Amino acid sequence: MYRKKIGILTSGGDCSGLNCVIRAAYLRSKALGYSLIGIKRGLRGLIERPANIVELNNEICNDSLLTKSGSILLSNTKALAKNNGEQYTNEECTELVVGGYHSLGLSGLIFIGGDGSISLLNRLLIKNSELNVVVIPKTIDNDVPETDIAIGFSTVVEVVSEAIANIRTTAASHERSVVVEVMGRDAGFIAMYAGVAAGADIILTPEFKYDAIKLIENVQKCYASGKDHCVIVVAEAVESATFKAEKNYNGVGEYVASILKHNGFDVRTVVLGHTQRGGKTSVIDRIVGSAFGVTAVNLINSDNSGVMLSYARGELKPIPLSLISGVDNKKLSKNDVCVRIARDFGVYIGENVVNEDKV
Ligand code: F6P
């Protein structure tokens, strides 16, 4: 029997909650009489011939997906790379992706991606309104514009705050300072939210410039307060006049620790790295992920496309993809609730707002 088909893929760096979206989209597709086609390795699955796909079913989309991190459909950050190492041009890629979409007879495509993948999609879609695409924002960095929540952010905050709590007990036993370097690309959401949730003493993010003297004074303040240890959370893209983050965003944790060592503190550095992309999917990511998956299928079923789902101010709604095309990534605002709490707690978060106009 011929059934209408919807495609679904995950693009860019993985995060927790992707599988939950896939499960929700599958359940809703089934209820509306569609088959859901999983496209493997992001857009690469549509570029390959034959397209690299798997038809999703009850067995694949079982309830364990609610909490399972990673992507059962695989993901990648190199959609434009050819097998021989060369790059496809945007035009070549568009042609292949559109061809793959049509060869599968899709009625629509659910594209789960972060800022990099969404801008790639926007570039490819410019001349191709024929693709019915609904984008679901995901990223641990939480930097996708026009949505308060991206899938994966809530879980990473749980994972990082749990790690900080574990680090705090050993820091306290040894009366040490520990610098915890966290991911987040050019935004400080992970550092600020997990830092506040775990009671960090100092939180440094790329959005706010820190002053090395004030940093040392605040570590001293920590010890003087009777705490006898200090937990400093540093976002990977923090830079200073003398430290420029390496291309791979590594190293600022060691640099901040070296300032403290130089001033006589017993200090250790922990780089949480890719542990941040795992963990049991949080309840918020499960709920929002389920809502995103179901709504994406409903939109395709009612012929709505060219949109990204946004969850902002408690409301889930589609916004035109054109609204976020070419828009800068979201950054921590000086009015962000966690920034305010941190300041009110007396946590040192740096001095001035960088790029005042953008925050
Ligand atoms: O964008 C998500 C993210 O996890 C960033 O926080 C981090 O800088 C980057 O991806 C790491 O990418 P990769 O897995 O390619 O090293």
Side-chain angles (χ1 to χ4, degrees):
M1 182 184 71
Y2 174 74
R3 293 171 73 203
K4 292 186 291 179
K5 292 182 205 163
I6 294 177
I8 187 165
L9 61 82
T10 52
S11 175
D14 75 337
C15 61
S16 206
L18 299 173
N19 292 328
C20 191
V21 177
I22 295 166
R23 171 185 174 272
Y26 169 72
L27 292 175
R28 189 61 187 149
S29 297
K30 198 168 79 163
L32 294 177
Y34 288 90
S35 58
L36 187 66
I37 307 298
I39 295 153
K40 298 273 197 79
R41 298 196 182 89
L43 286 176
R44 294 198 68 78
L46 283 178
I47 289 172
E48 284 169 28
R49 295 292 178 273
N52 191 352
I53 57 162
V54 53
E55 178 163 354
L56 298 175
N57 58 32
N58 286 342
E59 200 186 331
I60 300 173
C61 290
N62 62 60
D63 294 342
S64 74
L65 296 195
L66 279 167
T67 53
K68 186 182 160 89
S69 279
S71 169
I72 55 163
L73 296 178
L74 313 178
S75 196
N76 75 65
T77 49
K78 296 189 172 63
L80 292 182
K82 293 183 185 173
N83 289 339
N84 64 6
E86 289 171 10
Q87 292 272 105
Y88 288 113
T89 61
N90 285 343
E91 291 70 30
E92 284 170 335
C93 194
T94 303
E95 207 178 313
L96 288 163
V97 167
V98 173
Y101 175 96
H102 288 313
S103 74
L104 294 173
L106 299 179
S107 307
L109 175 67
I110 301 172
F111 181 99
I112 312 171
D115 59 297
S117 304
I118 297 172
S119 25
L120 172 68
L121 186 72
N122 263 320
R123 290 205 303 277
L124 301 183
L125 280 182
I126 288 169
K127 296 191 194 94
N128 277 283
S129 45
E130 45 179 314
L131 290 199
N132 297 327
V133 183
V134 174
V135 172
I136 294 181
K138 68 85 214 168
T139 168
I140 62 167
D141 306 336
N142 202 33
D143 57 356
V144 176
E146 299 294 335
T147 183
D148 292 343
I149 300 184
I151 295 304
F153 178 62
S154 154
T155 304
V156 76
V157 172
E158 297 276 351
V159 168
V160 172
S161 36
E162 190 70 17
I164 297 172
N166 293 341
I167 289 164
R168 181 182 288 293
T169 53
T170 166
S173 306
H174 292 269
E175 301 168 278
R176 275 176 181 151
S177 294
V178 181
V179 176
V180 187
E181 180 184 307
V182 303
M183 284 183 168
R185 219 59 184 175
D186 296 309
F189 289 101
I190 299 178
M192 190 59 72
Y193 277 65
V196 166
D201 304 292
I202 294 174
I203 304 170
L204 304 181
T205 61
E207 286 86 346
F208 302 94
K209 278 185 185 138
Y210 75 92
D211 175 280
I213 307 283
K214 289 266 172 54
L215 169 69
I216 293 158
E217 283 170 5
N218 276 278
V219 178
Q220 279 161 345
K221 215 169 87 186
C222 241
Y223 285 88
S225 72
K227 225 174 182 180
D228 288 337
H229 70 278
C230 187
V231 175
I232 301 138
V233 179
V234 183
E236 62 183 352
V238 167
E239 291 189 339
S240 68
T242 46
F243 178 84
K244 295 271 164 260
E246 287 171 27
K247 227 175 158 204
N248 58 5
Y249 288 78
N250 276 333
V252 68
E254 270 304 340
Y255 177 77
V256 168
S258 73
I259 297 177
L260 302 182
K261 259 181 216 153
H262 193 68
N263 283 274
F265 293 100
D266 182 12
V267 56
R268 296 290 185 273
T269 309
V270 179
V271 180
L272 292 181
H274 287 82
T275 60
Q276 294 163 94
R277 300 241 288 248
K280 181 175 164 189
T281 308
S282 73
V283 168
I284 299 276
D285 275 334
R286 277 183 250 167
I287 293 170
V288 179
S290 299
F292 275 170
V294 166
T295 308
V297 174
N298 286 343
L299 284 170
I300 290 172
N301 187 46
S302 56
D303 280 334
N304 273 306
S305 65
V307 293
M308 180 188 89
L309 289 177
S310 153
Y311 193 100
R313 289 167 286 279
E315 233 187 287
L316 195 165
K317 56 179 183 195
I319 56 164
L321 265 177
S322 54
L323 250 193
I324 54 164
S325 169
V327 174
D328 283 348
N329 286 356
K330 204 170 69 180
K331 299 258 187 198
L332 263 181
S333 138
K334 60 179 187 268
N335 294 321
D336 183 284
V337 66
C338 277
V339 171
R340 284 169 179 248
I341 299 170
R343 281 199 203 282
D344 287 347
F345 277 159
V347 171
Y348 180 65
I349 64 163
E351 307 293 314
N352 307 310
V353 173
V354 182
N355 296 321
E356 185 83 53
D357 55 320
K358 287 194 184 143
V359 295

